[in-house]
């Protein structure tokens, strides 16, 4: 490529990278608002999350098309091709995180308009904060090409999984001790599962970062292998 073409190509890649981070910020806000809506019963906030999901979907389509155009026009190789591949996988996970935030908002609306007073006192704020932190770290790792930070996200996911199992046990205990809480407990199980899935998607993004930087696909490998690859 000529120097002019090379600079234009770099500019296109940088534009795509920045829009991925914009999409990441958007879905992060969706999670925060959905959990706030659940905690406070703010129906206006809940409806806002449901409506804004469409913006996330549109951004995914636009970014996917931008990647396809770069592939068709520039025929990238090696690191640049891995970068484009990582973007396409990352935006899919970000869109799915947006879907989970929307599910949380819909469940929150159902819980707060159902009129039942038999609500299990389960704290979901801590696990939600943990997955938001995972997403933020994964996106920061993507922005800075930081494989060590990416490996940290994979480690955090194991902690989130353990906390999720603890929440499930608590909710089952509530249902066994007071059958009047069954309906609400099941809804909260769905919320907890959505939060846990958000953690899984953040972990996926972190693994893509390792692939982008190191050239090795670390999906379906152990945490120890990922940490070794990240620090090489």
């Amino acid at each position: 490529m000529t120097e002019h073409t090379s600079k234009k190509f770099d500019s296109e890649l940088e534009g795509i990278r920045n829009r991925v981070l914009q999409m990441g910020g958007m879905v992060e806000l969706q999670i925060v608002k959905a959990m706030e809506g659940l905690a406070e019963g703010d129906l206006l906030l809940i409806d806002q999350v449901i409506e804004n999901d469409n913006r996330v979907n549109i951004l995914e389509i636009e970014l996917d098309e931008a990647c396809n155009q770069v592939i068709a026009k520039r025929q990238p190789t090696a690191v640049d091709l891995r970068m484009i591949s990582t973007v396409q996988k990352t935006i899919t996970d970000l869109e799915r995180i947006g879907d989970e935030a929307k599910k949380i908002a819909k469940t929150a609306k159902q819980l707060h308009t159902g009129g039942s007073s038999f609500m299990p006192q389960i704290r979901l704020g801590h696990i939600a904060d943990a997955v938001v932190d995972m997403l933020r770290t994964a996106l920061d790792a993507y922005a800075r090409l930081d494989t060590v930070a990416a490996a940290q996200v994979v480690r955090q996911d194991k902690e989130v999984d353990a906390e999720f199992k603890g929440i499930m046990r608590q909710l089952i205990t509530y249902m066994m001790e007071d059958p009047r809480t069954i309906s609400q407990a099941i809804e909260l199980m769905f919320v907890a599962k959505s939060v846990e899935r958000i953690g899984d998607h953040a972990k996926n993004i972190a693994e893509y970062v390792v692939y982008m930087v190191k050239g090795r696909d670390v999906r379906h490998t152990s945490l120890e292998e990922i940490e070794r690859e990240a620090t090489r």
Side-chain angles (χ1 to χ4, degrees), residues 77-97:
T77 58
V79 175
D80 290 333
L81 184 58
R82 290 207 305 270
M83 185 270 194
I84 293 294
S85 172
T86 297
V87 166
Q88 291 186 303
K89 290 173 182 173
T90 296
I91 61 175
T92 298
D93 276 280
L94 289 175
E95 189 275 333
R96 287 175 181 166
I97 289 173

Side-chain angles (χ1 to χ4, degrees), residues 1-229:
M1 288 191 291
T2 66
E3 186 178 352
H4 172 74
T5 305
S6 179
K7 284 181 179 176
K8 192 171 180 185
F9 182 39
D10 289 342
S11 176
E12 287 172 353
L13 292 180
E14 182 66 14
I16 288 171
R17 188 182 75 96
N18 289 337
R19 291 178 72 196
V20 171
L21 295 173
Q22 177 193 348
M23 185 179 179
M26 195 182 296
V27 298
E28 180 186 325
L29 192 58
Q30 285 282 87
I31 303 164
V32 171
K33 285 184 175 180
M35 294 305 297
E36 281 181 12
L38 175 67
E40 299 168 11
D42 187 334
L43 296 181
L44 193 64
L45 194 61
I46 289 166
D47 285 336
Q48 193 180 79
V49 173
I50 294 168
E51 290 165 13
N52 284 348
D53 183 61
N54 192 48
R55 291 173 57 205
V56 175
N57 296 341
I58 290 169
L59 195 50
E60 181 204 14
I61 292 168
E62 289 175 352
L63 274 165
D64 196 39
E65 179 59 28
C67 288
N68 289 335
Q69 286 181 7
V70 166
I71 292 169
K73 286 193 303 181
R74 309 294 184 191
Q75 298 181 343
T77 58
V79 175
D80 290 333
L81 184 58
R82 290 207 305 270
M83 185 270 194
I84 293 294
S85 172
T86 297
V87 166
Q88 291 186 303
K89 290 173 182 173
T90 296
I91 61 175
T92 298
D93 276 280
L94 289 175
E95 189 275 333
R96 287 175 181 166
I97 289 173
D99 286 345
E100 296 300 340
K102 182 180 177 181
K103 285 180 192 174
I104 293 169
K106 284 187 168 182
T107 302
K109 190 169 187 177
Q110 194 167 326
L111 284 167
H112 287 292
T113 57
S116 175
S117 58
F118 301 107
M119 184 71 73
Q121 297 305 301
I122 295 291
R123 295 183 182 276
L124 295 172
H126 185 267
I127 190 173
D129 288 344
V131 299
V132 167
D133 183 61
M134 283 176 66
L135 176 60
R136 195 176 292 136
T137 304
L139 290 168
D140 188 54
Y142 165 79
R144 295 188 294 111
L145 305 179
D146 187 343
T147 55
V148 173
Q152 177 190 328
V153 174
V154 179
R155 180 172 289 280
Q156 281 179 280
D157 186 57
K158 292 192 176 296
E159 296 167 8
V160 166
D161 288 346
E163 188 165 353
F164 168 71
K165 288 174 184 175
I167 289 169
M168 290 295 104
R169 287 193 293 270
Q170 289 179 57
L171 287 168
I172 290 168
T173 301
Y174 266 108
M175 289 189 285
M176 290 173 65
E177 292 180 349
D178 187 350
R180 293 173 299 178
T181 66
I182 289 175
S183 178
Q184 288 72 29
I186 290 172
E187 296 292 352
L188 289 174
M189 281 182 170
F190 288 139
V191 171
K193 186 60 183 173
S194 284
V195 172
E196 188 266 341
R197 280 178 179 156
I198 289 169
D200 288 342
H201 290 303
K203 182 191 80 165
N204 290 347
I205 293 169
E207 289 173 345
Y208 304 150
V209 171
V210 177
Y211 166 71
M212 179 170 62
V213 177
K214 300 290 186 176
R216 184 187 167 199
D217 190 340
V218 293
R219 292 175 297 174
H220 314 301
T221 60
S222 69
L223 171 62
E224 290 71 26
E225 285 181 80
I226 292 171
E227 289 179 330
R228 276 198 301 272
E229 188 66 43

